[in-house]
Amino acid sequence: MFLRKRPLLFLSVILLSTLVIAEECAVEIQNEGKGMHIVMGNCKNIGTFSLGGIYNEKWEKLTYHYPMPWEGTFLTISVDDKFYTNSMDPEEGIRMDRYLEQYATIEENKIWVKWMLPEDILVEEILEMIENSTLIHVKITNKNPSQRFDVGVRIHIDTMLGDNDGAPIYIPGDGLKETEKEYSGDYLNFKYWKAYNRKDKPNIVATGILDLNGKLTYPDKVTIVNWKKSMRSVWDYKINEEMSILGDSAVMLYYNPRPIGSGETMEIITGYGSGEPVLKNVSGITEIVLNKISGEYCPGEDVVMKVDVGSRVDFQGLLGVEIRNKKGILFYSKNMSTGVIEAESIKSMEFDFTVPEDVSLDEFNISARLYSAGNLIDEKSSRFSVDASRCVLPAEKGPNWFLIALFIIAVSLLIFMVYPKKGRVIIEKFKEGDTVRVLVWNKSKNDLRNCIVEDRIVEGAEVSISTMNVERSGTRLTWNIGTLKSGEKVTLEYRIKDVNVLPRALVRWDGGEEISK
C-alpha cells in the first residue's frame, strides 16, 4: 500500500532546523474574516499548495497536508507535445522548478509565482483569496517572437475534508460519487462540485466553482479520481468506474490545448473553498441541472432537467415539476414517484420538455416540489430562456455545380444507353370480330431488353389465346418477349367473345414503356 506519511525520529536540534526550513519554504496568507488560508510551496515543487477553511471557529483541511504545502495538488502545462509540471509526483512530467522566474510572492490577497519555459512561454500561477474561497488563476503568455504553440492546463486537486482523505464528491445531476467518473461534452453541464467529510450529516464541505456568471473559465473535462492512482499521470488518465475514491479522492480539471500566437495570452480561472451541504433538511431537493450550462435554448430544442433529491433517512415521495413563462402561463407539468431513496444518498430524476416551435423570445421558470404523504416538504426553482435570434442556422450553401454537372452527365449517359436512339416503339391494339391483336413494333435503332407486353381483359370474359407463352392472371395477360431487336415486330393474339370494350395494352422494357391508344 502506498503510504504518504513516514514516521521519522529526529534529534531536537535537527527538528528545530527542519521547522525553520519548513517555514521559509511555505508562503501563506490567512484571513479569518474571509474564512480562508492559502499555503504555497516555495523551495521545491514550487507553486503546489494546500487550502484550509474555518468551520465552527476551527481551521480545517480542504486539501491534503494542510497547513503545509503539498506536491499532490499541482499543475500540468501542456506545450505542444511536452508536459511541464510543478510537482515531483508525475512520472513523465518535466519539472518546472528549474525554469522558475519568480519565487512565490505575496501581493495583498494573492500569492504569485512565475516560470519561463524553454519555448519562451511565461506561466503565472496566482492564488487569490476571496470570501470563503480561493480563485486559482493560471495565466500563460507566449513571449516567443515567431512561434505559435498549442497550450493547455490541467489542475489536480487532492481533496481532504477534515480528517477524511477519501471525501465523496457530489456532482449536480449525478448525485454523490464514490467511484471514479469522467464528465465531458454533453455530460459536463454543472456549475459546481462539492466534497464532503462524510455522507452522514457532513459538517465540513468544500465547493469547487466552475462557473460564476461567466467570470470563471469553464473546463473541457472534469474527472473524479483516486489520488493514489492518478498522481503519477502528467496529463492523460484512464478512469476506472469501479475504482473507489473513498480511500483517497481527488478532482482533475482539464482545459484543452489551444493555439497561442506570439504575444498572445490565455488565462484559466477556477475556484475552490468552503461550502455548505447541498441537503439542508432531512429530505429535500438539492439541485436542478439543465442539459445546457448557459440555460439558453432555441425553438424546438429539448430542455432536459435533472432534479436531485436527497435524504438522510430512507425516503419515498412524489416529485412534481412545472414550467411557466414570465406571464405565468403553464407550459409543462409532470409528477413522478421518487421510488425508494436510501438513507444518506442522492437520486437524480430526469424530466424532458420541448420548447414549442412558435416560442421565439421568452423566459421560463422551473418549479420543482417534493411531497411526502401529500405534504409539501421542499421546493426549488431554476430558469432558462428562449431567444430565436441567437439560434444561428447553418449557412445556406450555394449549388454544388460539380455535382450538378456530374448528375447531368450520368443521366445523359443513361438515356443514351437505354432509350431508343432514333425512331420510336409502336404498340397498337385492335379487334376484328372476336379476334384481338396487340402489335408491338420496335422502330428504334436499339434492341429493347427485357421487353414485356401487358394487356387487360374484362373480368369473367371467355378468352382463347393463340400466341405462345402468354400467362393469364385474373384480368391480366402477360407476355414476356425478352429482347425485341431493332425493326422487329411481334403480335399478341387471342379470341374473346361478347366483349366490345378494349382496355389499353402496355409494352415496357429496360428504360422505357409505351401505351396503346
Side-chain angles (χ1 to χ4, degrees), residues 261-474:
S262 178
E264 293 182 344
T265 297
M266 68 176 289
E267 186 170 9
I268 302 301
I269 309 175
T270 193
Y272 183 70
S274 303
E276 296 181 353
V278 289
L279 185 61
K280 297 178 175 60
N281 303 316
V282 175
S283 302
I285 300 170
T286 63
E287 192 57 86
I288 301 174
V289 181
L290 303 179
N291 59 323
K292 293 183 71 173
I293 189 70
S294 65
E296 298 175 352
Y297 292 85
C298 298
E301 193 170 5
D302 290 334
V303 181
V304 181
M305 301 155 283
K306 288 190 176 180
V307 182
D308 288 354
V309 179
S311 182
R312 296 196 177 102
V313 298
D314 288 346
F315 174 81
Q316 186 169 3
L318 184 71
L319 179 64
V321 170
E322 284 188 355
I323 298 178
R324 295 178 183 269
N325 70 354
K326 58 185 177 182
K327 293 182 179 180
I329 300 173
L330 181 66
F331 277 73
Y332 176 89
S333 179
K334 185 174 182 179
N335 295 326
M336 188 183 300
S337 172
T338 64
V340 177
I341 299 177
E342 296 181 355
E344 305 301 341
S345 66
I346 297 174
K347 182 177 182 179
S348 293
M349 303 183 64
E350 185 173 305
F351 295 80
D352 300 310
F353 166 70
T354 301
V355 178
E357 294 282 357
D358 58 354
V359 175
S360 59
L361 181 64
D362 212 338
E363 294 179 359
F364 293 86
N365 183 71
I366 304 169
S367 296
R369 296 181 176 90
L370 184 64
Y371 298 87
S372 177
N375 298 316
L376 177 66
I377 62 172
D378 197 13
E379 59 184 323
K380 198 174 185 70
S381 64
S382 185
R383 293 180 177 275
F384 68 91
S385 62
V386 177
D387 188 350
S389 67
R390 296 185 178 183
C391 304
V392 180
L393 298 175
E396 293 187 6
K397 297 181 179 179
N400 190 322
W401 294 110
F402 174 77
L403 292 179
I404 292 174
L406 193 63
F407 175 76
I408 293 173
I409 292 172
V411 171
S412 301
L413 184 61
L414 181 64
I415 293 173
F416 177 81
M417 293 177 62
V418 303
Y419 197 78
K421 294 179 183 177
K422 291 183 180 180
R424 53 191 294 259
V425 177
I426 296 174
I427 179 171
E428 295 179 350
K429 182 177 180 180
F430 49 89
K431 183 173 182 287
E432 295 179 355
D434 293 338
T435 302
V436 177
R437 294 183 178 89
V438 179
L439 171 68
V440 178
W441 184 6
N442 181 7
K443 298 183 70 174
S444 74
K445 300 298 182 181
N446 288 346
D447 293 345
L448 306 183
R449 300 184 183 279
N450 297 318
C451 190
I452 297 175
V453 175
E454 293 182 357
D455 194 14
R456 296 281 184 177
I457 57 177
V458 177
E459 186 175 0
E462 184 179 339
V463 177
S464 175
I465 303 172
S466 305
T467 305
M468 300 289 291
N469 300 321
V470 177
E471 297 181 359
R472 177 177 179 178
S473 177

Side-chain angles (χ1 to χ4, degrees), residues 167-219:
I169 307 295
Y170 169 68
I171 299 296
D174 203 27
L176 203 59
K177 312 311 294 181
E178 299 180 357
T179 58
E180 291 190 332
K181 190 72 178 286
E182 177 181 303
Y183 300 89
S184 60
D186 292 340
Y187 298 97
L188 184 56
N189 60 348
F190 43 91
K191 296 184 177 182
Y192 66 89
W193 55 275
K194 287 181 178 286
Y196 289 7
N197 67 326
R198 58 174 181 257
K199 291 174 61 177
D200 180 14
K201 298 180 181 179
N203 57 7
I204 303 175
V205 179
T207 301
I209 310 170
L210 304 180
D211 182 82
L212 189 63
N213 299 321
K215 296 179 181 179
L216 304 185
T217 312
Y218 201 71

Side-chain angles (χ1 to χ4, degrees), residues 31-83:
N31 189 314
E32 291 187 7
K34 293 183 180 294
M36 284 302 300
H37 187 186
I38 305 171
V39 186
M40 180 181 284
N42 205 29
C43 286
K44 61 179 181 179
N45 303 307
I46 299 170
T48 60
F49 60 93
S50 68
L51 301 176
I54 291 182
Y55 296 84
N56 297 320
E57 300 181 352
K58 180 183 176 183
W59 289 101
E60 298 282 3
K61 295 180 176 69
L62 299 182
T63 62
Y64 184 81
H65 213 246
Y66 171 82
M68 298 298 295
W70 175 236
E71 66 204 43
T73 296
F74 62 93
L75 303 179
T76 297
I77 308 298
S78 166
V79 181
D80 287 347
D81 57 349
K82 296 180 181 178
F83 298 101

Side-chain angles (χ1 to χ4, degrees), residues 97-124:
D97 281 358
R98 69 187 73 170
Y99 304 115
L100 188 68
E101 180 84 357
Q102 173 189 297
Y103 280 97
T105 304
I106 297 175
E107 295 183 8
E108 296 182 353
N109 60 338
K110 301 176 184 177
I111 302 179
W112 205 303
V113 63
K114 299 179 183 180
W115 300 267
M116 181 64 78
L117 304 184
E119 294 84 357
D120 291 332
I121 297 290
L122 176 64
V123 178
E124 301 172 78

